[in-house]
Amino acid sequence: MEVFERSFEESVASLETMLRNGRMTRFRTEFLALHNYDQAKIFAEFDSEERQKVYQYLAPGEIADVFDAFESDNIQLSEGYFLEMENSYAAAVLGEMFADNAVDILNSIENKEKVNIYMHLMPNTSAREISQLINYIDETAGAIMTTEFVTIQEEFTVKQAYDHLKGAAQQAETIYYVYVVDEDNRLKGVISLRDLIVNEDDSLISDILNNRLITVQVNDDQVEVAKMVQDYDLLALPVVGFDHELLGIITVDDVLDVMQEEADSDYSGLAAVDVNENHATPIQASKSRLPWLVTLLFLGMGTASLISQFEGLISTAPVLSSFVTLITGTAGNAGTQSLAVAIRKLTNKSEEDAFFASFWFELLTGVATGLVVGIVIAIVASIWKGNLFLGIIIGVAMASAIVVANLAGSLIPKVMVKFGFDPAVASGPFISTLSDLTSVFIYFTIASLFLSHLS
Amino acid sequence: MEVFERSFEESVASLETMLRNGRMTRFRTEFLALHNYDQAKIFAEFDSEERQKVYQYLAPGEIADVFDAFESDNIQLSEGYFLEMENSYAAAVLGEMFADNAVDILNSIENKEKVNIYMHLMPNTSAREISQLINYIDETAGAIMTTEFVTIQEEFTVKQAYDHLKGAAQQAETIYYVYVVDEDNRLKGVISLRDLIVNEDDSLISDILNNRLITVQVNDDQVEVAKMVQDYDLLALPVVGFDHELLGIITVDDVLDVMQEEADSDYSGLAAVDVNENHATPIQASKSRLPWLVTLLFLGMGTASLISQFEGLISTAPVLSSFVTLITGTAGNAGTQSLAVAIRKLTNKSEEDAFFASFWFELLTGVATGLVVGIVIAIVASIWKGNLFLGIIIGVAMASAIVVANLAGSLIPKVMVKFGFDPAVASGPFISTLSDLTSVFIYFTIASLFLSHLS
């Protein structure tokens, strides 16, 4: 991997020196030669005084490229940068950015007064594009699409289409697909640039266009969009409205960001923590982790008070207490496994399997798993404690606890989806804390029934 | 989302009827009009008799497109398909596929005798491309790259480059970047098709080429490749060898598959289960889940035998047993949180932070988290059981258990990486089972010390 000719720190230091010494020309030469992503990384290192110099030295279009390269999780930072610019400069930068990225930034600015000012100071064409995009719901196709694409009519020849594309190449976010629309802007087909290149100049677009269209609706979930682009190996995917009119396109680089975002949120959900936490101090890190921990602590109090009811049983047969954590722990592990499988199936949505079919499947999986683990622990416990009945109690309790945890892990996320909640809230820690309660109840109830044999 | 004009099941049924009635022309018209991904999905529904008909009706190049569209997780299926074809047909299909995909299939075929037969029957050029790729280590840049790309020399004009590209457009996996190499095949620069289109026909490539190259080494990890493509918004990334010679390119569609694969494996690791399990029967599902469960069961036996040592303590003060699962559970939750954060930082590799810096950070986060949770539970337990000393014991034990679990969760994956293991093996269930042991030890040790006050 080689991106910088010298180290990142050296590049930053040398550019900072140029800014501080007012060496505009050298700064521009060095900075503009870098890839936009590297420019963005370096820009984030500058302090506010240095950034003011940058705003003087770079044209709005040049700094717009830098902001276009910002990662979606750094959008929050951008707000501060825009607020420290002159209003007219900020508006010009936003106008020069790709409309979808400009919308992300405008949406992150809390002060809506400012947003209005920017929209007014911006060139009309940009303001129009942005206001078309700004109202789409977060995480839908509409919210991640761009309106900068190239359209042609089907009467065009290949040559005409190619020349039209050439003229539009500077503006469009991708030129590798050209969309064919009718006079009402309804999508009729798509032509790839590869098709334009390999066909004869005088071929008619209507003869070569691909009309087996793969499209998404503007309100489709971004996960569905990502799945389509991934399955069909697309570089861009057209977004249509209810009358099949072409509203925008989603490019593969935005899909990469969506996939990263979704993977992070699934992973965070399973662990009940924001894995992208980037906290400066341990106090901040604990603040973000404590809400879940304390919530689960109170849920766990239920288990504690349940065990409390069985204190009499435990003082009669203290041997029982040795196996409490083993049973709750193993059931929790089984629950976490079936939870993870269930959540992944829900997010992939490829299979909308029937609720009862999956109920039976998970029940039987739980029974099979529970039987094996139950028999193993029954044998081990019988030999270890020299008490066959104790072994049987532990084994039966373990098997039942696993069956219940397995069902809970697979059904709770489905129930949550049915009631409109995000299934990812049912995290691994949540399922194991919940299954502690049922496991303890099962264990001590079974033990009470066989108490007479435990001596 | 609209892909099929009629439902998927209807399309399959109608194509199956055509195959069974021997209606080759109609089958070809219907089937070949579909997108390759849909062809692949439908092909997977055919039974072996129907597939034999398909092999008669479609040319090797046509069925090759279908296999190129197979998802990477369906590669196992392909093995069976190839083994049921005539050897010469199978070899022709492999020869027509993109080399990187053909390699994936050849690598999945167990019978290496067969692989040799295919390689011999295949056109020489394809066999050469494939044998170049087949030896790269799994999950490296070399293993996911393709050798089908377009190169030019820097003396070319834009027109010459464009014409050359036109000739190569049918073969290459992407034509949207053209790579500029010297006479020793060393990479000098890259030109995007967009650059060719917007520049004048007689411009020299040497004047317009981009020589700030973003490349990966052939042995770089696929995760790094995915990160580069994502960060720099690339459609393809060149792979170079040690002398900077151009060996292949990685296209964005392969990167999407890598990201999916990595997200699934991270997620699976955290839950100690293969989330892509696609098991036909509950027995198969349990078989894949049991190894981890039973391993963790035996690890959990350690905790059980530790509690066993404290049976005397428990019969003296049975109230202690009420809080065992609460303490082990909460510490396990805290450990899972810090584990998830640590693993994500390791896979993103953006920050190779110093071992001791992160040790202190996690220690302090654990202390802060532990203090809050410890104080909360101390107050609750004191009031509930009407015993301040009991509350203090529980609080101190809880806080200490959280600190230890936090450290274990964040340090174990790092230690595993240092010793060359995959950190994802340290799953959430593994960390919680391990932290059960330390939590129980801490809890009962502290309780023994204060025993006299628990009456």
Side-chain angles (χ1 to χ4, degrees), chain A residues 38 169 232 264 308 344 385, chain B residues 38 232 264 308 344 385:
Chain A
D38 297 323
Y232 290 93
D264 286 350
S308 208
R344 247 321 139 84
K385 295 289 176 184
Chain B
D38 297 324
Y232 290 94
D264 286 351
S308 209
R344 247 321 138 85
K385 296 289 175 185

Side-chain angles (χ1 to χ4, degrees), chain A residues 409-428:
Chain A
S410 65
L411 298 182
I412 287 178
K414 285 186 191 166
V415 172
M416 293 181 79
V417 169
K418 281 235 189 299
F419 287 98
F421 294 103
D422 178 1
V425 176
S427 59

Side-chain angles (χ1 to χ4, degrees), chain A residues 2-3 35 37-38 166 169 172-173 176 194 197 230-232 264 272 308 314 321-322 337 344 368 385, chain B residues 3 35 37-38 166 169 172-173 176 194 197 213 231-232 260 264 272 286 308 311 314 321 337 344 385:
Chain A
E2 36 190 279
V3 180
H35 190 287
Y37 173 71
D38 297 323
K166 201 163 168 167
E173 191 157 332
Y176 300 129
R194 192 193 284 249
I197 287 179
Q230 197 190 348
D231 286 344
Y232 290 93
D264 286 350
S308 208
I314 294 166
S321 59
S322 305
Q337 288 184 330
R344 247 321 139 84
K385 295 289 176 184
Chain B
V3 180
H35 190 287
Y37 173 71
D38 297 324
K166 201 163 168 165
E173 191 157 333
Y176 301 127
R194 192 194 282 249
I197 288 178
L213 280 167
D231 286 344
Y232 290 94
Q260 184 71 54
D264 286 351
S286 349
S308 209
E311 260 174 39
I314 294 166
S321 60
Q337 289 184 329
R344 247 321 138 85
K385 296 289 175 185

Side-chain angles (χ1 to χ4, degrees), chain A residues 88-108:
Chain A
S88 57
Y89 186 84
V93 173
L94 288 164
E96 294 274 356
M97 287 178 66
F98 287 124
D100 51 343
N101 297 334
V103 167
D104 288 343
I105 287 175
L106 289 171
N107 277 335
S108 77

Side-chain angles (χ1 to χ4, degrees), chain A residues 150-165:
Chain A
V150 185
T151 58
I152 53 171
Q153 267 80 56
E154 54 181 343
E155 303 81 44
F156 279 30
T157 62
V158 164
K159 177 84 172 74
Q160 283 174 312
Y162 185 82
D163 289 342
H164 179 72
L165 187 64

Side-chain angles (χ1 to χ4, degrees), chain B residues 76-128:
Chain B
Q76 309 94 292
L77 286 178
S78 318
E79 177 178 4
Y81 300 145
F82 278 88
L83 297 182
E84 71 187 9
M85 296 177 195
E86 305 256 331
N87 285 340
S88 56
Y89 187 83
V93 174
L94 287 164
E96 295 274 355
M97 287 179 66
F98 287 123
D100 51 342
N101 297 334
V103 167
D104 288 343
I105 287 174
L106 289 171
N107 277 335
S108 78
I109 295 179
E110 303 260 319
N111 181 348
K112 293 304 165 198
E113 192 68 29
K114 269 282 182 194
V115 173
N116 276 333
I117 296 174
Y118 294 154
M119 294 293 280
H120 278 107
L121 291 171
M122 204 178 290
N124 268 339
T125 48
S126 312
R128 214 172 305 125

Side-chain angles (χ1 to χ4, degrees), chain A residues 25-294:
Chain A
T25 319
R26 279 206 55 193
F27 175 81
R28 287 180 53 83
T29 316
E30 286 248 350
F31 190 75
L32 293 177
L34 296 169
H35 190 287
N36 294 336
Y37 173 71
D38 297 323
Q39 294 175 342
K41 266 183 19 193
I42 289 174
F43 181 80
E45 299 287 319
F46 294 157
D47 64 26
S48 96
E49 210 170 309
E50 288 157 358
R51 290 198 297 272
Q52 286 302 335
K53 284 279 178 68
V54 175
Y55 305 144
Q56 287 168 35
Y57 292 176
L58 297 184
E62 289 162 344
I63 195 86
D65 290 342
V66 178
F67 285 112
D68 272 331
F70 260 69
E71 298 292 294
S72 47
D73 38 319
N74 286 335
I75 292 291
Q76 309 93 293
L77 287 177
S78 319
E79 178 180 4
Y81 299 146
F82 278 87
L83 297 181
E84 70 187 8
M85 297 176 194
E86 304 258 330
N87 285 341
S88 57
Y89 186 84
V93 173
L94 288 164
E96 294 274 356
M97 287 178 66
F98 287 124
D100 51 343
N101 297 334
V103 167
D104 288 343
I105 287 175
L106 289 171
N107 277 335
S108 77
I109 295 180
E110 303 261 318
N111 181 348
K112 293 304 165 198
E113 192 68 27
K114 269 282 183 193
V115 173
N116 276 331
I117 295 174
Y118 294 156
M119 295 292 282
H120 278 107
L121 290 172
M122 203 178 290
N124 269 338
T125 48
S126 312
R128 215 172 303 126
E129 275 169 5
I130 287 174
S131 44
Q132 275 170 27
L133 288 177
I134 210 158
N135 292 317
Y136 289 112
I137 302 155
D138 205 28
E139 308 201 341
T140 62
I144 55 172
M145 74 186 185
T146 176
T147 50
E148 288 137 323
F149 50 85
V150 185
T151 58
I152 53 171
Q153 267 80 56
E154 54 181 343
E155 303 81 44
F156 279 30
T157 62
V158 164
K159 177 84 172 74
Q160 283 174 312
Y162 185 82
D163 289 342
H164 179 72
L165 187 64
K166 201 163 168 167
Q170 290 294 2
Q171 276 299 315
E173 191 157 332
T174 182
I175 58 162
Y176 300 129
Y177 293 113
V178 187
Y179 299 94
V180 184
V181 292
D182 68 13
E183 59 281 6
D184 295 325
N185 193 39
R186 274 192 296 259
L187 186 61
K188 306 279 285 181
V190 59
I191 300 262
S192 71
L193 180 49
R194 192 193 284 249
D195 295 330
L196 288 184
I197 287 179
V198 297
N199 276 287
E200 297 301 321
D201 276 0
D202 52 359
S203 307
L204 273 176
I205 293 299
S206 54
D207 292 334
I208 61 169
L209 71 77
N210 178 356
N211 55 13
R212 284 257 171 194
L213 280 168
I214 293 158
T215 61
V216 284
Q217 291 281 332
V218 69
N219 290 324
D220 282 347
D221 193 280
Q222 63 175 6
V223 178
E224 236 158 289
V225 171
K227 208 171 144 32
M228 297 284 275
V229 169
Q230 197 190 348
D231 286 344
Y232 290 93
D233 287 350
L234 305 171
L235 298 179
L237 178 61
V239 180
V240 296
F242 295 104
D243 193 27
H244 213 69
E245 72 278 21
L246 180 60
L247 296 175
I249 62 167
I250 293 164
T251 51
V252 69
D253 55 306
D254 295 322
V255 168
L256 287 167
D257 293 340
V258 167
M259 286 183 66
Q260 184 71 55
E261 212 179 282
E262 292 292 331
D264 286 350
S265 99
D266 281 5
Y267 196 79
S268 297
L270 191 61
V273 65
D274 174 11
V275 287
N276 278 328
E277 61 171 39
N278 208 352
H279 299 299
T281 71
I283 298 294
Q284 288 173 337
S286 355
K287 263 192 194 160
S288 91
R289 298 187 198 177
L290 275 168
W292 259 113
L293 277 185
V294 174

